[in-house]
Amino acid sequence: EAERYQLPDDAVNLGLLIQEAKDFFINSRNKTSKDFEIDVPSGTQAVKGDRAQLSQLLHNLISNAFKYGAKKEPIKINVAPNRSGSMIRLSVIDRGEGVDPRHLPRLTERFYRVDKGRSKAIGGTGLGLSIVKHIAERHGGRLEISSELGEGTNVSVLLPVIYKSS
C-alpha cells in the first residue's frame, strides 16, 4: 500500500530493457531477431521508474503482441520523446486482426476478454493490460491503446524522463 504513494525514481534505460526483453523472447519462446523491429534513438533519456515493474510491463505488451499479432509479421517496438521532452513514449505495435473500437475502453479491465473462445485457445488470464495500466499510472505515466480492424494494435505507455542536473 505504501508503494502506491511513492513514485519510483530510479533511472531506467529503456533501450537496455527492450534488448533484455527481446533476448528473453528469442531464448525462451523460440523467436528470432526478425520477429522484432526496434527503434530506440541513441541518446534517449532514461525514464523514472522501478526496473522490475517496467520489465513486467514490457513483457506483458510483447507477449500480447505475439499472441494477437499476425504470425509472420514482426513486433515493432518504438521509443520516442513527446513534444515537450518531459516523457518518453514506449510503443509496442503488432500487425494482427486488431480490436473493434467498442472493446477498446474495456481492454484494461481485469479479466476482460474480447473473444473468450479465442482467448481459451491462446491462453492468458485477461490481466496483462490491467497490470500494464497500473504500472504506468504508478510511474506517473499513462497507457494509450489504438487499434484498427484488419491492421493491428498499437499499445503505448508514456513515462516521465529523468532530468539531468546541470
Side-chain angles (χ1 to χ4, degrees), residues 31-49:
K31 302 298 180 190
T32 67
S33 287
K34 69 181 181 183
D35 291 320
F36 294 88
E37 286 181 13
I38 298 173
D39 182 18
V40 181
S42 62
T44 297
Q45 285 185 270
V47 296
K48 211 185 283 193

Side-chain angles (χ1 to χ4, degrees), residues 3-47:
E3 286 182 348
R4 183 182 303 181
Y5 303 102
Q6 180 180 345
L7 291 178
D9 62 356
D10 293 334
V12 179
N13 178 325
L14 285 179
L16 183 58
L17 209 61
I18 291 167
Q19 184 60 50
E20 289 171 1
K22 174 185 169 187
D23 292 345
F24 169 82
F25 280 89
I26 288 172
N27 293 327
S28 68
R29 304 239 177 137
N30 299 321
K31 302 298 180 190
T32 67
S33 287
K34 69 181 181 183
D35 291 320
F36 294 88
E37 286 181 13
I38 298 173
D39 182 18
V40 181
S42 62
T44 297
Q45 285 185 270
V47 296

Side-chain angles (χ1 to χ4, degrees), residues 10-155:
D10 293 334
V12 179
N13 178 325
L14 285 179
L16 183 58
L17 209 61
I18 291 167
Q19 184 60 50
E20 289 171 1
K22 174 185 169 187
D23 292 345
F24 169 82
F25 280 89
I26 288 172
N27 293 327
S28 68
R29 304 239 177 137
N30 299 321
K31 302 298 180 190
T32 67
S33 287
K34 69 181 181 183
D35 291 320
F36 294 88
E37 286 181 13
I38 298 173
D39 182 18
V40 181
S42 62
T44 297
Q45 285 185 270
V47 296
K48 211 185 283 193
D50 177 299
R51 192 173 201 295
Q53 288 184 2
L54 292 176
S55 178
Q56 180 181 10
L57 175 148
L58 186 57
H59 279 76
N60 285 0
L61 293 179
I62 294 171
S63 180
N64 276 357
F66 276 118
K67 281 181 195 174
Y68 301 109
K71 298 297 177 217
K72 304 273 186 203
E73 294 289 334
I75 303 305
K76 294 182 181 181
I77 303 172
N78 300 326
V79 173
N82 68 349
R83 287 185 188 155
S84 70
S86 63
M87 299 187 95
I88 297 288
R89 176 181 298 274
L90 166 65
S91 299
V92 178
I93 305 158
D94 71 67
R95 294 213 183 267
E97 295 177 20
V99 178
D100 187 306
R102 66 191 163 110
H103 293 287
L104 290 177
R106 298 197 61 199
L107 288 181
T108 58
E109 290 178 17
R110 291 185 301 174
F111 308 112
Y112 183 78
R113 306 303 288 256
V114 171
D115 179 349
K116 294 183 187 353
R118 182 173 175 219
S119 297
K120 222 176 205 181
I122 291 174
T125 60
L127 289 172
L129 287 177
S130 67
I131 291 170
V132 167
K133 180 181 178 186
H134 174 78
I135 291 171
E137 290 175 351
R138 180 168 184 266
H139 282 76
R142 70 177 183 270
L143 172 67
E144 296 177 352
I145 304 171
S146 62
S147 189
E148 192 172 325
L149 285 173
E151 296 296 320
T153 303
N154 179 341
V155 182

